[in-house]
Amino acid sequence: MGLYQKRDRSQVYDELIDEFMEAIVGRYGQNTLIQFEDFGNHNAFRFLRKYREKYCTFNDDIQGTAAVALAGLLAAQKVIAKPLTEHRILFLGAGEAALGIANLIVMAMVENGLSTEEAYNRIWMFDKDGLLIKVRCL
């Protein structure tokens, strides 16, 4: 399946994606929903930021999974009578889905009264090398 060659990550790659986006909207109209799937962390978040004001885009891993996970947490808070803002959440892995879920949870916590910094302090990421801390991300 597909081409057996190394994926191009140069400016040519970005130009191809730009051309694709323009062609799809040119053919099907501005209200066409374009779903990104399996672009990898770096490109997935970058493309969502790049195209958010110009095209109707959606990333299933980042946004779809996050919406379902947050819905589950909001439903659970009703059962356990403890608001989302009082929870600490640990993620095993820090891929697209985990980062998308974490970002949406932070947004929900902020909407419910926490500062952004307080909300971030309630989110923890753990991967194969251990807890993610600032010195590992630099």
Side-chain angles (χ1 to χ4, degrees):
M1 299 289 277
L3 295 175
Y4 291 98
Q5 65 187 40
K6 188 172 180 167
R7 199 175 280 185
D8 187 343
R9 295 294 185 220
S10 69
Q11 181 62 32
V12 173
Y13 176 74
D14 280 28
E15 290 168 3
L16 173 68
I17 301 298
D18 287 343
E19 184 179 335
F20 172 81
M21 298 296 283
E22 290 172 17
I24 291 297
V25 170
R27 173 65 174 93
Y28 296 105
Q30 191 64 41
N31 292 328
T32 302
L33 174 62
I34 301 168
Q35 178 181 336
F36 295 130
E37 183 70 35
D38 294 333
F39 272 83
N41 278 359
H42 173 72
N43 286 325
F45 286 98
R46 186 170 64 88
F47 287 147
L48 279 176
R49 281 190 305 273
K50 180 177 181 177
Y51 297 124
R52 78 172 358 138
E53 300 298 324
K54 189 172 182 181
Y55 301 107
C56 182
T57 62
F58 175 79
N59 184 296
D60 181 51
D61 294 330
I62 296 169
Q63 296 166 304
T65 303
V68 171
L70 179 60
L73 290 172
L74 294 176
Q77 80 177 354
K78 292 179 183 179
V79 173
I80 63 174
K82 183 176 179 181
L84 181 64
T85 54
E86 292 182 20
H87 289 274
R88 294 194 191 290
I89 299 172
L90 173 66
F91 288 86
L92 179 56
E96 288 176 54
L99 293 173
I101 295 166
N103 285 331
L104 193 57
I105 291 170
V106 165
M107 290 170 58
M109 288 180 168
V110 169
E111 190 174 292
N112 285 286
L114 291 184
S115 70
T116 302
E117 184 177 349
E118 290 170 322
Y120 279 131
N121 286 334
R122 295 184 174 280
I123 305 291
W124 299 85
M125 299 275 184
F126 193 90
D127 69 5
K128 63 183 174 67
D129 297 318
L131 188 64
L132 291 177
I133 57 175
K134 284 183 183 177
V135 293
R136 285 191 53 208
C137 298
L138 299 176

